[in-house]
Amino acid sequence: MNDIDFADLYQEVIVDHSRRPRNFGRLEHATHSAEGFNPLCGDRLKLYVNVKEGVVQDARFEGDGCAISRASASLMTEGIKGKSKKDVLRLFSEFRDLATGVDGTDRKALGNLAVFSGLAGFPARVKCATLAWHTLRAALEKDSGVVSTE
Ligand code: ZN
């Protein structure tokens, strides 16, 4: 992709997480995993999740992508630990609304993830930020055999 100056967009948290991504690396004994690819930007990631009794115990990711996709995966893996699958999917829809600029998102529920609110004016970057989430949903739904409507 071309190098537009996104200085205004990159908030401190995003820069920090893109430079030092948390939960980066393979997760051994993952119960769920999926791969995601964003052809618009070239972001690739593999996500590993460990779910026990419907609750996310651990999540890690590896791959290669732009700062936004890395920061998003890093913040996401931090944000979903200890949450039920249902809550994770609800968080995904809140996050997608926030990133695309839908009014009335629950920023309190989003916590640190709210740093991506500046993306709304950049549709191409929204795909970078939601890649990890789409991959997460695919991972969670793959193993259960049941697609949740929540
Ligand atoms: Zn990207």
Side-chain angles (χ1 to χ4, degrees):
M1 56 163 288
N2 52 12
D3 267 352
I4 307 167
D5 186 5
F6 283 103
D8 291 339
L9 177 64
Y10 284 30
Q11 298 174 38
E12 216 170 298
V13 177
I14 298 180
V15 172
D16 178 43
H17 276 263
S18 70
R19 286 186 182 155
R20 298 185 300 118
R22 320 304 196 262
N23 307 307
F24 190 82
R26 198 186 165 85
L27 176 66
E28 299 299 330
H29 312 300
T31 54
H32 300 66
S33 70
E35 282 178 71
F37 177 49
N38 170 21
L40 264 183
C41 179
D43 310 314
R44 286 179 189 277
L45 71 87
K46 181 150 190 192
L47 188 76
Y48 305 91
V49 191
N50 205 337
V51 179
K52 212 175 188 176
E53 287 163 13
V55 175
V56 174
Q57 308 290 326
D58 205 357
R60 295 179 72 80
F61 74 101
E62 53 186 12
D64 197 18
C66 68
I68 292 281
S69 71
R70 264 202 320 276
S72 180
S74 172
L75 282 155
M76 182 192 79
T77 49
E78 274 201 330
I80 61 173
K81 283 187 199 177
K83 290 197 162 60
S84 70
K85 274 165 75 169
K86 197 175 158 186
D87 285 347
V88 165
L89 293 173
R90 188 175 298 140
L91 201 59
F92 172 42
S93 94
E94 287 285 345
F95 180 77
R96 194 173 43 190
D97 284 354
L98 174 97
T100 52
V102 174
D103 282 339
T105 48
D106 188 351
R107 294 198 180 193
K108 212 168 154 193
L110 284 163
N112 256 351
L113 298 165
V115 299
F116 292 99
S117 58
L119 289 176
F122 303 90
R125 307 325 298 267
V126 170
K127 292 196 190 297
C128 300
T130 53
L131 174 66
W133 289 89
H134 285 291
T135 311
L136 172 68
R137 189 171 59 180
L140 290 178
E141 287 175 353
K142 204 157 58 177
D143 226 19
S144 67
V146 180
V147 176
S148 169
T149 52
E150 281 285 323

